[in-house]
Amino acid sequence: MSMQAWVIGNWKQNPATSNDVSVLLDELLSKMGTQKQTGTTTSNSQCKLMVAPSCIHLSAVSERLASSTILSAAQDISTYSANVGAYTGDCSAQQVADAGATWTILGHSERRQYHKESHDCLLNKLSHAFSENLGVVFCIGETQTQYNEHQTLDIIDAQLSVIKDLLVQQPHLISLLSEKLIIAYEPVWAIGTGKVPTVEEVSKTHQYIKQAIAGFASNVDNITVLYGGSVNASNAGSFAADPMIDGALVGGASLKAESFLAIANAFDQANA
Ligand code: PEP
């Protein structure tokens, strides 16, 4: 594959304690150091790594990773304000950036499901993220029922219309998109289930997403599109081999340094 690959760990509401966070970071950093020394990764590593810890751990993780090549991201930001305000329980784009995040995940299916995140809610979040100079990993994908009823591409169009509408409101953002926006295609039925679509299905859907974005942002001819949903050390290589799949958003397998780095290595090797 031709593009810069990304492997992003979404830690969700894990791990349980700040001590567990330290242990995971120790393992990640020491294994990365060992791989470098022993040459088990390609020297010209193409794969960018990012982790998205819980908000409560974001400062500590960012501080710890500041001297590494791993970036840190928030899992979400407030829809109500980009900076401060009377929004109990929320963390703003400005606050997560101040805590050291350079990116945020937005629109994850768990947010859409449990927090009923709507088109307008996500439109605000995207706008706030870009106003604070955060990159956005924007998650889209169909449910099992929608998949069964062959509605995948319609759902993707509806979910991508948030980006389309943002660009109508703020056309100057178009020039930022290829650097500041990553799409994560995550079929809801593949998240945490061990079920995965075929590489061919993912490839076709990614091609559709890239074309759809180029359709409303004409100078963005190749947006980064990651696959997410039950990616693990064993299946990562097959996804990495497809030129339409620019990396992975990883949930469960990102909580162990070994599996997370094995997935990263699969994308490194596909790029080598
Ligand atoms: C996710 O929630 O973004 C995800 C891909 O989870 P998992 O890898 O556990 O399926």
Side-chain angles (χ1 to χ4, degrees):
M1 36 163 296
S2 52
M3 295 176 72
Q4 165 80 72
W6 288 86
V7 171
I8 302 176
N10 172 16
W11 291 358
K12 311 192 184 189
Q13 195 171 285
N14 299 290
T17 66
S18 43
N19 190 57
D20 293 343
V21 170
S22 287
V23 171
L24 177 53
L25 291 176
D26 283 345
E27 283 176 4
L28 267 177
L29 294 171
S30 81
K31 278 189 203 300
M32 282 175 75
T34 315
Q35 287 180 346
K36 229 180 209 159
Q37 275 164 19
T38 57
T40 32
T41 61
T42 50
S43 53
N44 187 15
S45 179
Q46 290 296 307
C47 184
K48 284 212 172 201
L49 294 180
M50 193 192 297
V51 295
S54 164
C55 200
I56 193 82
H57 298 135
L58 189 54
S59 290
V61 169
S62 303
E63 211 168 294
R64 186 72 198 285
L65 295 178
S67 58
S68 80
T69 54
I70 309 177
L71 301 175
S72 65
Q75 296 175 10
D76 184 41
I77 57 171
S78 175
T79 188
Y80 298 108
S81 165
N83 37 66
V84 293
Y87 305 109
T88 302
D90 276 12
C91 287
S92 71
Q94 183 185 41
Q95 289 171 328
V96 302
D98 180 63
T102 47
W103 289 75
T104 184
I105 297 173
L106 289 180
H108 190 278
S109 69
E110 288 151 16
R111 302 287 319 171
R112 293 177 190 267
Q113 181 185 351
Y114 301 125
H115 300 268
K116 307 282 177 283
E117 290 193 341
S118 65
H119 178 282
D120 289 348
C121 160
L122 288 169
L123 187 58
N124 286 332
K125 289 185 179 192
L126 272 160
S127 173
H128 295 332
F130 291 136
S131 77
E132 294 297 326
N133 203 27
L134 292 170
V136 173
V137 181
F138 190 67
C139 303
I140 59 176
E142 81 286 358
T143 63
Q144 181 75 70
T145 311
Q146 291 161 343
Y147 176 81
N148 294 345
E149 292 174 2
H150 307 288
Q151 294 170 343
T152 300
L153 301 184
D154 292 336
I155 295 302
I156 281 170
D157 279 335
Q159 291 171 334
L160 288 180
S161 73
V162 174
I163 294 162
K164 188 179 178 179
D165 290 354
L166 179 73
L167 296 178
V168 171
Q169 288 176 3
Q170 299 185 58
H172 67 277
L173 292 176
I174 292 179
S175 62
L176 295 180
L177 283 201
S178 39
E179 251 186 75
K180 292 281 191 184
L181 179 69
I182 291 175
I183 304 293
Y185 170 56
E186 303 203 299
V188 179
W189 53 272
I191 295 177
T193 58
K195 286 198 281 185
V196 290
T198 65
V199 173
E200 198 188 5
E201 283 176 297
V202 175
S203 184
K204 280 194 182 143
T205 305
H206 282 204
Q207 187 169 15
Y208 183 83
I209 293 166
K210 286 171 193 259
Q211 282 168 355
I213 291 179
F216 53 74
S218 52
N219 65 335
V220 184
D221 58 359
N222 204 359
I223 198 93
T224 300
V225 183
L226 314 183
Y227 168 71
S230 297
V231 175
N232 57 38
S234 327
N235 63 21
S238 63
F239 291 115
D242 189 279
M244 285 291 151
I245 303 175
D246 305 318
L249 179 55
V250 185
S254 72
L255 294 171
K256 294 248 157 56
E258 192 171 0
S259 43
F260 186 59
L261 293 177
I263 293 165
N265 287 341
F267 280 90
D268 270 342
Q269 270 152 33
N271 269 297

